[in-house]
Amino acid sequence: MKFKLSNLVTLAVAFVIISGSMNAAEPYKHGPDSMRQDGVPVGKVTKHQFKTSQLFPGTVRDYWIYVPAQYDKSKPAALMVFQDGGSYVNERGSFRTPIVFDNLIHQKKMPVTIGVFINPGVIPATQPGGRDRKNRSFEYDSLGDLYVRFLIEELLPVVEQDYNLTDDESQRAIGGISSGGICAWTAAWERPDYFSKVLSHVGSFTNIRGGHVYPALIRKTERKPIRAYLQEGRNDLDNLHGNWPLANLQMAAALKYQKYDYNFAFGEGGHNGIHGGVLMPESLTWLWREE
Amino acid sequence: MMRFIFSLAFLSTIGLPVSAQDMPLSQILIEGEGWELVSAGYKFTEGPAANEKGEVFFTDVPESKIYKIDLDGNVTLWAEETNATAGLMFGADGVLYGTSIGGGAIVKFSADGKMVPVADGISCNDLVVDGHGNIYFTDHTNGNVMHIPVGGKPKVVAQEITFPNGLILWNDQQSLVVSDMRGANLWNFRVETDGSLSFKQPYSTMELPVGSIESGADGMTTDKDGRIYVCTTKGIQVFDTTGRYCGVVSKPQRAFLSNIAFGGTELDTIYVTCSDKVYKRKLNTKGIRYAVEVQKP
């Protein structure tokens, strides 16, 4: 099928209309902390590629490093990792994380934090026209410590070659959306000695690869030192893997039962980052509060 | 294509990373279409494979026989004295290839059912033939996957799988999937241009019978949308293109389910070999033929 420019224009117009109405259906608007403010120092974002993983052999992935303007290499910086890094680092998307970081760090609502935004891996096909082996579900939905080991043993050491990162787990957080959300929880669940804060947007605590068991595991496992902010919407997915609103309600109930330090933001949204994006300043302030 | 681009742009703007399409069983199962018995009275059936017309061939392993199911559903004896040939598959050349377990050989059959060795002195279980004529087969005795390049000799291309049993290529024939009968995993490999395999990964995890660590996984097939179908103790387990479990289709009877292939003129019917019987079931999808699909470089 050949594309003409006019087709693309029509597409773009249709798309703006639909996404506009989507936003209207969900009553969430970005606040000032998700927008550039005069006088707030702007951090620097650089793009990189990682392709030497032994734990996920053959994978290639992009990642971005955000370094706040306040970073001083003589002082260890806090760390926050995001799955689906491309979405979270995008300043015109829902999350606008670099902007929110700039504002909150300036207001001292969160520490001087280096952000590492990592895309899932892809094992490229051998020849042109072939289908790449997409590793997102394998890396994010699988239970166990493989992904967090990938972070701790393989990718973050590369970041640490250039930046002074904290060795205090209370200063390390991890977040993501959908499968990236359960991935964040799994990383902290497996290695609470490394990640102590979790941010989950419409997290897939469903049976994609067995993750529906977490509420049961949480209830019967001695409480781990994890602080968690879960965002979910009542219009989220209901499909073969499970029911997202019910799964997140089960997560919240289990965290409450075990007296976790958690916050559950249950809104009107569907399976997207609109609500979670608008809540970024609030959720990061809550996660990074000192107490 | 247009819809695809549209949804990509849409998803990325509202902040949801592009994720794979869900493939529930409801997409492929047809209400009211259950299993239909094709034929019964065998010792142990295996190796269903469809030729270009959609006729399905299968083996009775202990009897060393191959049968043909024609397009009207008639079953006739097609070959004898196959030395316990089990797995079958048609190559792009229209020739039927097989694994002779008794003979320790990869074999091929002429149009009149005469058996000729392609490679012997090996141990084999099941095979897949790509559109170029490369043969991959499992050697469960040694836990290996083997490759026979066109006109070449068998060599080990993957090792250390507990019991490699069924195997199938993705539709682009650039990834190979191997089922482990004694474990829980489907192992994915990238197929390199020289036919070797790389980047082994337990890309999918199968559902296991309660209390067991063995999937009982055996023969596999794929459909036009890239789903992977694998015969297991629990039934036919189906996986999507990103390795996620879609669900399990019940077995036609409480007996060992060995293998599966699409057949029929429209290639929209699965044929399964289930111990003493062969069954079929129409699905709302179609199989693929590597011979036709391989036009790519």
Side-chain angles (χ1 to χ4, degrees):
Chain A
M1 179 173 182
K2 280 187 181 170
F3 252 109
K4 287 181 184 166
L5 188 60
S6 60
N7 288 352
L8 281 174
V9 171
T10 312
L11 193 66
V13 170
F15 154 66
V16 166
I17 291 166
I18 291 201
S19 67
S21 66
M22 249 327 251
N23 277 309
E26 297 195 8
Y28 304 112
K29 282 206 167 108
H30 286 103
D33 286 338
S34 296
M35 297 168 190
R36 286 268 168 235
Q37 302 297 334
D38 290 340
V40 173
V42 175
K44 203 165 132 187
V45 175
T46 51
K47 188 179 180 183
H48 310 265
Q49 196 175 55
F50 188 75
K51 45 200 232 178
T52 53
S53 178
Q54 300 302 306
L55 292 168
F56 299 121
T59 55
V60 177
R61 77 193 66 225
D62 289 336
Y63 69 100
W64 293 259
I65 302 175
Y66 159 90
V67 181
Q70 297 86 346
Y71 170 69
D72 172 352
K73 66 174 186 249
S74 70
K75 295 177 194 157
L79 168 71
M80 188 157 188
V81 171
F82 288 92
Q83 280 72 252
D84 293 306
S87 289
Y88 279 91
V89 83
N90 179 2
E91 295 192 5
R92 290 186 296 273
S94 289
F95 299 110
R96 310 176 180 184
T97 313
I99 296 175
V100 179
F101 271 32
D102 284 342
N103 286 325
L104 296 188
I105 291 169
H106 181 66
Q107 296 165 30
K108 301 199 186 318
K109 287 181 176 170
M110 62 183 279
V112 172
T113 304
I114 286 186
V116 181
F117 303 81
I118 310 166
N119 276 356
V122 166
I123 297 160
T126 321
Q127 298 167 65
R131 177 151 67 84
D132 299 340
R133 192 197 309 171
K134 296 203 171 80
N135 229 32
R136 183 173 184 267
S137 171
F138 182 80
E139 293 177 7
Y140 291 179
D141 294 315
S142 297
L143 305 193
D145 67 355
L146 198 56
Y147 188 76
V148 73
R149 283 184 53 208
F150 159 75
L151 295 177
I152 297 171
E153 297 171 22
E154 298 190 332
L155 197 139
L156 292 172
V158 176
V159 178
E160 282 183 301
Q161 286 171 6
D162 295 323
Y163 300 101
N164 185 0
L165 296 180
T166 182
D167 57 8
D168 172 3
E169 70 269 19
S170 76
Q171 296 299 297
R172 293 196 200 99
I174 182 164
I177 181 170
S178 188
S179 293
I182 190 176
C183 179
W185 174 262
T186 298
W189 179 257
E190 293 289 335
R191 292 297 302 271
D193 59 314
Y194 194 90
F195 287 110
S196 68
K197 303 177 201 300
V198 171
L199 176 58
S200 167
H201 296 124
V202 295
S204 303
F205 297 98
T206 53
N207 185 24
I208 298 179
R209 290 177 185 261
H212 60 299
V213 299
Y214 272 129
L217 291 176
I218 289 165
R219 285 172 186 266
K220 287 191 177 174
T221 304
E222 180 182 3
R223 187 177 64 240
K224 302 189 181 196
I226 300 170
R227 177 183 286 180
Y229 189 106
L230 309 181
Q231 174 272 327
E232 173 58 20
R234 69 180 80 250
N235 293 303
D236 202 351
L237 298 175
D238 180 25
N239 66 21
L240 74 163
H241 307 298
N243 178 294
W244 267 244
L246 291 178
N248 277 272
L249 284 162
Q250 284 277 18
M251 280 295 288
L255 293 172
K256 182 181 181 186
Y257 175 79
Q258 278 287 36
K259 299 186 172 61
Y260 271 80
D261 180 8
Y262 81 103
N263 191 301
F264 184 48
F266 193 53
E268 302 299 319
H271 202 63
N272 59 55
I274 296 171
H275 188 203
V278 166
L279 287 175
M280 274 300 259
E282 182 185 318
S283 50
L284 289 173
T285 301
W286 184 88
L287 268 182
W288 286 105
R289 76 191 192 281
E290 284 179 28
E291 65 179 66
Chain B
M1 182 64 176
M2 183 122 160
R3 220 172 106 192
F4 177 64
I5 289 178
F6 180 77
S7 60
L8 278 186
F10 184 57
L11 286 173
S12 63
T13 300
I14 60 176
L16 182 67
V18 175
S19 52
Q21 197 196 351
D22 288 325
M23 291 180 158
L25 290 184
S26 56
Q27 289 177 347
I28 54 170
L29 296 181
I30 301 169
E31 286 290 334
E33 288 276 359
W35 290 109
E36 196 180 321
L37 181 66
V38 174
S39 192
Y42 308 100
K43 282 202 170 146
F44 184 86
T45 57
E46 247 288 5
N51 66 10
E52 216 169 324
K53 289 188 226 167
E55 296 170 327
V56 175
F57 294 67
F58 68 91
T59 56
D60 186 348
V61 184
E63 294 285 345
S64 286
K65 287 176 179 167
I66 298 177
Y67 294 89
K68 179 174 109 171
I69 308 165
D70 72 18
L71 297 175
D72 297 321
N74 303 311
V75 180
T76 50
L77 182 65
W78 186 75
E80 291 183 273
E81 296 177 19
T82 65
N83 216 346
T85 290
L88 295 178
M89 189 162 177
F90 280 91
D93 50 7
V95 171
L96 185 62
Y97 292 82
T99 51
S100 167
I101 292 176
I106 302 300
V107 296
K108 61 180 180 181
F109 295 89
S110 60
D112 58 356
K114 203 166 283 174
M115 190 168 84
V116 183
V118 175
D120 50 19
I122 46 108
S123 166
C124 58
N125 186 310
D126 202 355
L127 86 171
V128 63
V129 187
D130 80 5
H132 299 291
N134 287 291
I135 297 171
Y136 292 90
F137 65 93
T138 46
D139 166 7
H140 67 259
T141 310
N142 298 299
N144 294 339
V145 180
M146 311 287 292
H147 170 227
I148 308 177
V150 181
K153 288 187 174 147
K155 59 181 173 194
V156 179
V157 282
Q159 293 173 286
E160 293 179 12
I161 298 173
T162 315
F163 193 110
N165 200 338
L167 71 176
I168 201 75
L169 289 156
W170 278 10
N171 295 356
D172 66 355
Q173 305 177 52
Q174 295 186 33
S175 285
L176 182 76
V177 189
V178 180
S179 72
D180 184 355
M181 186 183 209
R182 296 269 151 79
N185 294 317
L186 297 181
W187 294 93
N188 271 52
F189 299 87
R190 188 169 85 165
V191 178
E192 300 299 324
T193 45
D194 64 358
S196 62
L197 302 179
S198 63
F199 307 140
K200 177 185 179 187
Q201 184 179 30
Y203 198 52
S204 297
T205 307
M206 291 175 279
E207 192 183 335
L208 304 175
V210 172
S212 174
I213 57 164
E214 300 188 0
S215 61
D218 200 339
M220 305 170 78
T221 194
T222 179
D223 71 14
K224 66 179 175 62
D225 300 318
R227 292 179 189 83
I228 297 290
Y229 299 71
V230 53
C231 295
T232 70
T233 304
K234 296 284 291 184
I236 300 164
Q237 299 192 31
V238 184
F239 294 86
D240 74 13
T241 53
T242 60
R244 303 179 303 177
Y245 181 44
C246 304
V248 59
V249 178
S250 301
K251 296 198 284 193
Q253 64 168 347
R254 288 181 64 86
F256 189 81
L257 183 67
S258 65
N259 217 329
I260 177 169
F262 279 87
T265 40
E266 299 297 322
L267 220 59
D268 61 354
T269 300
I270 46 173
Y271 287 79
V272 298
T273 45
C274 191
S275 298
D276 59 326
K277 298 186 181 74
V278 177
Y279 295 84
K280 67 175 181 176
R281 182 170 184 168
K282 194 164 184 271
L283 294 186
N284 189 26
T285 184
K286 289 181 182 197
I288 63 134
R289 289 188 174 91
Y290 294 137
V292 179
E293 303 281 328
V294 77
Q295 306 306 336
K296 292 166 194 149

